[in-house]
Amino acid sequence: MTSESPTPAPATTSASTSTGTSTTVRITTTEQAIEAGERLSIEDIGTATATDARAMSKVLFARMRVLEEGTHEYQYVRNTLIELNLSLVRFVAGRFRARPETTEEMVQVGTIGLIKAIDRFDATMGVEFPTFAVPTISGEIKRFFRDTSWAVHVPRRLQERRLELAKARDALTAEHDREPTPAELAEYLGLSVPEVIEGLTAANGYTSASLDAPAGEESGGDAYAGRASFVDTGFEAVENIHALKPLLAELPERERTILSLRFGAELTQAQIGEHLGLSQMHVSRLLGRTLTRLRESMLAE
């Protein structure tokens, strides 16, 4: 004795004709449900009411459950379900209209959540599809916010800790009428102070300011980039030292000694002459010739 899948209860829906009149259709088979869906799609599937979509979805889910995945009919029923329930995506996206992301972006991401909900839904659980799908769609959109809203990428655990710290800060601020300290936040959340500080530091990466933005009311209109565009003379000195190292290594030992005594020990030319057994005039000529050689070598590079 073979068992047959339970036949879904008949449903009714309505579709507008080209003349604008409304026709009530009694849906008892999958073909009728798909035909009704096609009729609404041709006119404007957005005019389908929630009752229309729910009625046809029940029949289509029952049919999809007995079809072989990957077949043309299975894919056709699945695509029809997606079209019928796009209003759920727009409904959930409307909850986040205050976000800077565009509605189109949220609908695209939410549609991914809708497809996941259709693939995971089991009509035998006794739950209406919208009840099952809305949390999945909402979760997909929130995941999109979490992964793309941060100006600087930080680990997910720190992103979640930022939300915990924000809630704890609001609660403690309302209780004490002041900003809580890291120690108070740590005690409230059961974390260590270093963990709280790490989360507060990571929260700075959520938003960023343009370098062309004014640095503050007292900046006189100067941008952050203007404050950072100063020249540190120490950089040039470091570059010169690195450029001189190979040139000094090429000098004879006596010239290197003269330079060391003159610019390292800061001896006078007379003192250097006494140290090396040379006259001051000879030391002056050697020093001048060595400095000229180094200067020309650096300019040549």
Side-chain angles (χ1 to χ4, degrees):
M1 178 176 180
T2 58
S3 60
E4 297 180 355
S5 355
T7 303
T12 60
T13 187
S14 58
S16 298
T17 64
S18 57
T19 59
T21 60
S22 179
T23 303
T24 300
V25 180
R26 184 177 179 83
I27 299 174
T28 57
T29 65
T30 305
E31 289 72 17
Q32 290 176 347
I34 296 175
E35 182 183 353
E38 286 180 328
R39 194 155 50 238
L40 286 171
S41 299
I42 293 171
E43 298 284 338
D44 180 8
I45 200 168
T47 61
T49 66
T51 304
D52 295 335
R54 190 177 297 114
M56 286 186 285
S57 294
K58 286 182 180 179
V59 178
L60 294 173
F61 273 119
R63 179 58 179 164
M64 192 170 70
R65 190 167 65 249
V66 299
L67 291 174
E68 182 180 354
E69 186 174 353
T71 61
H72 174 73
E73 187 178 2
Y74 179 94
Q75 194 63 36
Y76 188 70
V77 172
R78 182 171 178 263
N79 291 342
T80 305
L81 281 168
I82 294 171
E83 286 191 45
L84 281 173
N85 292 281
L86 279 177
S87 58
L88 290 176
V89 178
R90 289 188 287 270
F91 167 75
V92 176
R95 296 178 176 178
F96 305 101
R97 62 173 60 93
R99 298 280 309 188
E101 291 81 1
T102 64
T103 302
E104 181 181 358
E105 289 177 318
M106 290 187 286
V107 169
Q108 288 179 353
V109 175
T111 302
I112 297 175
L114 172 63
I115 294 172
K116 291 180 178 179
I118 289 174
D119 292 339
R120 298 170 183 170
F121 181 65
D122 185 358
T124 61
M125 294 189 305
V127 179
E128 291 286 343
F129 177 68
T131 305
F132 177 83
V134 167
T136 305
I137 297 169
S138 179
E140 195 70 27
I141 295 177
K142 289 179 180 178
R143 188 177 298 108
F144 167 72
F145 294 154
R146 182 179 58 198
D147 294 341
T148 61
S149 297
W150 286 73
V152 178
H153 178 73
V154 298
R156 181 162 296 179
R157 62 178 180 84
L158 293 180
Q159 296 180 16
E160 295 172 351
R161 188 176 301 170
R162 169 187 169 272
L163 298 176
E164 296 174 356
L165 286 170
K167 294 177 182 178
R169 177 182 291 172
D170 291 341
L172 292 174
T173 300
E175 181 179 347
H176 301 296
D177 198 23
R178 61 172 175 80
E179 279 286 317
T181 64
E184 290 171 337
L185 289 169
E187 182 180 359
Y188 185 88
L189 294 173
L191 302 172
S192 65
V193 174
E195 288 175 328
V196 169
I197 294 176
E198 183 185 29
L200 294 174
T201 303
N204 294 330
Y206 186 72
T207 56
S208 61
S210 171
L211 289 176
D212 295 326
E217 295 181 358
E218 300 178 358
S219 65
D222 293 337
Y224 288 107
R227 290 189 172 189
S229 60
F230 65 92
V231 178
D232 190 340
T233 55
F235 290 135
E236 184 178 359
V238 171
E239 290 177 354
N240 290 337
I241 290 173
H242 281 281
L244 276 172
K245 279 185 178 181
L247 299 178
L248 292 173
E250 296 174 358
L251 293 175
E253 183 178 355
R254 185 175 63 174
E255 277 76 358
R256 289 202 305 269
T257 302
I258 292 174
L259 290 175
S260 177
L261 294 174
R262 180 69 184 91
F263 299 103
E266 297 184 350
L267 300 181
T268 64
Q269 293 180 4
Q271 292 172 328
I272 294 173
E274 292 177 2
H275 184 77
L276 297 178
L278 302 172
S279 67
Q280 179 181 351
M281 184 66 68
H282 194 185
V283 171
S284 177
R285 285 198 301 268
L286 290 173
L287 184 61
R289 186 173 61 191
T290 302
L291 293 176
T292 300
R293 176 182 174 181
L294 293 174
R295 187 179 300 109
E296 289 175 352
S297 298
M298 289 190 66
L299 291 175
E301 293 183 356

